[in-house]
Amino acid sequence: MESLSQTFVEAGTLMLAGMVFVFAFLGILVVIINTVLAPLANKFPDPVAQSVTRPTVNKVTDKDGVSPSVVAAISAAVTQYRQKHNK
């Protein structure tokens, strides 16, 4: 029984050492990448996307506030649904 508990302690120690090593390695890697990329970001900045202006649609609403195009789309969808499901 003593050798089994000693094996578990050794396995836990090895697992903890491996996790610390991987965490330290990845932390150092992030620091190195950010250090290298900082001067490059200043030298080669990302292009700024120009905003695209879209033409505005003339929205005519009735007294309920629903545009006719929305009413037409809903009516077409209901008609299509009824045609498919009324067999």
Side-chain angles (χ1 to χ4, degrees), residues 4-18:
L4 186 62
S5 64
Q6 186 179 9
T7 305
F8 278 130
V9 169
E10 192 174 321
T13 306
L14 184 62
M15 180 184 68
L16 186 63

Side-chain angles (χ1 to χ4, degrees), residues 27-73:
I28 292 170
L29 184 66
V30 167
V31 169
I32 290 172
I33 288 174
N34 286 334
T35 305
V36 169
L37 288 181
L40 290 176
N42 291 334
K43 190 172 182 179
F44 303 105
D46 290 334
V48 178
Q50 296 179 359
S51 62
V52 178
T53 57
R54 295 182 180 165
T56 58
V57 177
N58 209 2
K59 291 186 178 181
V60 179
T61 59
D62 58 0
K63 54 185 165 188
D64 291 335
V66 180
S67 69
S69 60
V70 172
V71 173

